[in-house]
Amino acid sequence: MTTNKNNIPLGDDIFVVKEASVSEEASLQQLMIDTASWLKSRGSSQWSDILEGTDVHGLSDRIRDGEVFLVLRGAEIAAAFILRKTASDWDARLWNDHGKDAPARYLHRLMIAREWSGKNLSQAILDWASKEAEHTGHVAVRLDCIADNQKLNTLYQNAGFTNIATVDGFCIYEKKRRN
């Protein structure tokens, strides 16, 4: 059996990771709003910018730059995420004292459609992102989350990410390439 590096097997399902196109932006915006609303309903202030009508990560620009990925099950968008090729100003600020100049990919806006939550899809996506970073010659995948979001911190730790530091109320995590 030939494996495709963009396939994510999960239980009986096969998900396909593909780069997002401009024509999919409206669907991505809706998934982002749905995710932000869900986070707010759970008492989290993470992604509050989305509900205020701004997007600090610039989804349109990230799509144009080939840094937004969809996770599809058939034609259905099950998840999406941003995997930046370079550090944003936000990333550079958080990683300033922690090796910001190392060639790393930066993961943002991991969004899971609610019907796929609780099925370990986040874990599978984090694994895929780590392999993609390695495949593209980067030494690590980096990400951050609000420090008091215990569920997200646990997810990242269980996915093999190391908590490097807490900067301005955000935990920064890194998963280095295997040698």
Side-chain angles (χ1 to χ4, degrees):
M1 172 194 239
T2 304
T3 58
N4 180 326
K5 80 170 189 83
N6 290 328
N7 285 353
I8 297 176
L10 191 62
D12 293 335
D13 294 305
I14 299 288
F15 297 86
V16 177
V17 179
K18 79 170 206 75
E19 192 176 302
S21 68
V22 172
S23 66
E24 294 157 322
E25 184 173 352
S27 296
L28 282 163
Q29 290 284 359
Q30 188 58 56
L31 179 58
M32 200 162 50
I33 290 166
D34 292 347
T35 303
S37 296
W38 177 79
L39 287 166
K40 182 178 180 181
S41 77
R42 312 280 295 178
S44 174
S45 62
Q46 197 145 355
W47 295 25
S48 59
D49 62 304
I50 297 299
L51 299 177
E52 295 165 1
T54 59
D55 175 15
V56 298
H57 290 291
L59 185 66
S60 297
D61 291 338
R62 302 290 62 82
I63 291 171
R64 186 195 69 235
D65 292 344
E67 298 176 328
V68 178
F69 295 88
L70 301 176
V71 180
L72 304 171
R73 184 175 174 282
E76 174 188 4
I77 298 175
F81 59 96
I82 298 170
L83 190 59
R84 288 189 62 116
K85 298 170 185 167
T86 59
S88 66
D89 291 343
W90 170 259
D91 298 319
R93 185 175 69 78
L94 289 179
W95 287 90
N96 187 49
D97 296 330
H98 305 283
K100 73 173 169 119
D101 295 327
R105 300 287 301 259
Y106 292 84
L107 192 139
H108 293 284
R109 299 284 194 226
L110 176 56
M111 304 171 265
I112 306 294
R114 291 299 89 216
E115 58 269 25
W116 293 105
S117 68
K119 298 182 182 356
N120 295 320
L121 185 54
S122 296
Q123 173 82 41
I125 291 168
L126 292 169
D127 291 344
W128 184 92
S130 296
K131 290 174 188 162
E132 178 67 9
E134 186 173 336
H135 176 74
T136 57
H138 294 81
V139 299
V141 172
R142 293 176 169 171
L143 47 81
D144 64 84
C145 71
I146 292 176
D148 66 1
N149 186 332
Q150 192 53 52
K151 187 172 183 176
L152 209 45
N153 280 282
T154 299
L155 169 69
Y156 296 150
Q157 291 165 14
N158 288 343
F161 284 77
T162 302
N163 186 340
I164 303 299
T166 300
V167 179
D168 295 336
F170 289 84
C171 290
I172 59 173
Y173 285 92
E174 179 176 73
K175 186 173 184 181
K176 289 193 172 181
R177 175 173 53 204
R178 297 167 289 196
N179 291 327

